[in-house]
Amino acid sequence: MTLTPSNVFTEPLEATPVPPIPSSPRPRTRPTLILSLLLRKMGGAAVVVWAAASLTFLMQVLLPGDRATMLLNQQTGQVQERSAEELAPINEMFGFTDPLLLQYLNFLGGLLRGDLGVSYQLLQPVTTVIGDQIAPTVILTFSSLAVAWVVALVLLVLTARRVGWVSRLFSGFEAAAAALPQYWLGIILLVVFALGLGVFPVVGGEGLLGLVLPALTLGIPLAGFLGQTMRTEFERTLDEPFVLTARARGMSDAGVRIRHVLRHALLPGLTLTGWAIGSLFSGAVIAENVFSRPGLGGVLVDAVNGRDLPVVCGVVILVALIYVIANLVVDTAYVLVDPRLKLAR
């Protein structure tokens, strides 16, 4: 059969079905992903705080001994058995005879309202007792954190991947600093710089000079941890191609280290900072007692010695809250610092 132009162009062409293109889900924008991350982290933080609060409540109610008798003995300074008539006002005031579930719900309700109970010793709200002493502890905590970051960054930029013995010497210094017990280091600094040289006051106050030795006591071991954590990443990044490109363009060694390499090495340090803030807040108890500084350290020691459980529980809940807030902030900053990170859906 011979095809002619007429039968070629007059027969209708059969349309080839086109397979449908699978539609991908609409990608979420970066602010949406960050908001989703924050909501998940806040949910986890709320669970942690609730668990800490529940444990502290159980610690109060399950300890041996009658709480009303213990409280009355502390107030009078006499350890003896108490009659029901003597204990009745105490039980009525603190609700010790209520059902356990009702006490627990009242405890959680008080937490939601910011009420941590009443101090057994001082007969003041725990929030007032903590609020009066929290400022020096917060100042010491963040001063120690600043000291740790400055020491770690300076040693890292100046000594990483230098002459062999220099790098090994300061890497060993970081390991030794991380292993130093804070209590031992505080006593050494106190003996040398306060009692021996007289550079700093023996009894710490709220002034700047009184803050130096306590901040070094907490900051030097943390600087060792931060330096060890970031040094490996810093030295690995020095071998990356973009670093070689920056050097080939004529950038100085200091510029390459600070502008290109340090940013990548910060990420492990930021991760550690969330834990470090809570650890420093706890460690401030030691430094405040060694240097006789005001703060929550003295409050906590007095509360433990006097079995003032509401104050002890209040400090424990506060430390747990600081832990979760610090980790929440660090997790958010971790994503913002490195734009290459993809947020999990």
Side-chain angles (χ1 to χ4, degrees), residues 31-97:
T32 305
L33 291 173
I34 293 177
L35 180 61
S36 175
L37 172 68
L38 285 176
L39 291 177
R40 290 201 305 272
K41 294 294 182 181
M42 290 175 67
V47 172
V48 172
V49 175
W50 167 77
S54 299
L55 287 176
T56 55
F57 173 79
L58 292 175
M59 182 176 69
Q60 292 186 61
V61 298
L62 296 181
L63 281 179
D66 181 68
R67 286 178 286 172
T69 303
M70 180 181 64
L71 178 57
L72 196 56
N73 288 339
Q74 286 179 349
Q75 291 178 354
T76 59
Q78 297 176 348
V79 180
Q80 62 184 45
E81 292 294 329
R82 299 291 177 174
S83 64
E85 290 75 15
E86 291 177 304
L87 298 178
I90 303 296
N91 288 325
E92 178 68 21
M93 178 178 179
F94 294 97
F96 290 153
T97 55

Side-chain angles (χ1 to χ4, degrees), residues 92-340:
E92 178 68 21
M93 178 178 179
F94 294 97
F96 290 153
T97 55
D98 292 340
L100 189 60
L101 179 59
L102 180 59
Q103 294 184 46
Y104 179 63
L105 294 177
N106 289 334
F107 175 75
L108 293 182
L111 288 183
L112 293 177
R113 298 190 303 272
D115 182 8
L116 295 174
V118 178
S119 167
Y120 291 168
Q121 287 183 314
L122 304 175
L123 295 180
Q124 294 180 355
V126 174
T127 50
T128 302
V129 175
I130 293 177
D132 289 343
Q133 297 294 330
I134 194 172
T137 303
V138 171
I139 292 173
L140 176 58
T141 298
F142 285 95
S143 299
S144 305
L145 185 64
V147 167
W149 268 102
V150 169
V151 172
L153 291 180
V154 169
L155 291 182
L156 184 66
V157 173
L158 294 181
T159 66
R161 194 65 72 78
R162 297 295 188 184
V163 182
W165 68 269
V166 173
S167 183
R168 288 194 296 272
L169 175 64
F170 284 95
S171 179
F173 169 78
E174 291 169 352
L180 286 176
Q182 295 171 340
Y183 190 82
W184 179 84
L185 178 60
I187 292 177
I188 294 298
L189 293 176
L190 182 67
V191 170
V192 174
F193 293 100
L195 296 176
L197 300 178
V199 179
F200 299 102
V202 177
V203 179
E206 297 182 358
L208 184 60
L209 281 180
L211 184 63
V212 173
L213 292 183
L216 290 175
T217 299
L218 299 178
I220 289 177
L222 179 59
F225 279 113
L226 290 173
Q228 283 191 309
T229 303
M230 294 187 292
R231 182 174 291 271
T232 302
E233 182 66 18
F234 191 93
E235 293 181 346
R236 186 194 64 78
T237 308
L238 283 172
D239 295 329
E240 292 291 333
F242 67 88
V243 174
L244 300 178
T245 302
R247 293 186 189 280
R249 291 203 306 264
M251 183 175 285
S252 64
D253 180 68
V256 169
R257 286 171 176 261
I258 295 175
R259 294 185 57 185
H260 292 285
V261 180
L262 187 59
R263 181 176 183 179
H264 296 268
L266 287 178
L267 296 178
L270 282 176
T271 304
L272 189 63
T273 299
W275 162 84
I277 291 177
S279 176
L280 288 174
F281 201 84
S282 306
V285 175
I286 300 174
E288 288 170 355
N289 279 279
V290 170
F291 295 97
S292 300
R293 280 181 53 83
L296 287 181
V299 173
L300 183 60
V301 171
D302 292 340
V304 171
N305 291 333
R307 299 190 66 179
D308 195 348
L309 291 178
V311 174
V312 175
C313 294
V315 174
V316 170
I317 294 174
L318 177 64
V319 172
L321 190 62
I322 290 174
Y323 259 107
V324 297
I325 291 177
N327 280 283
L328 185 64
V329 173
V330 168
D331 287 344
T332 306
Y334 196 90
V335 175
L336 296 177
V337 166
D338 192 350
R340 301 170 305 169

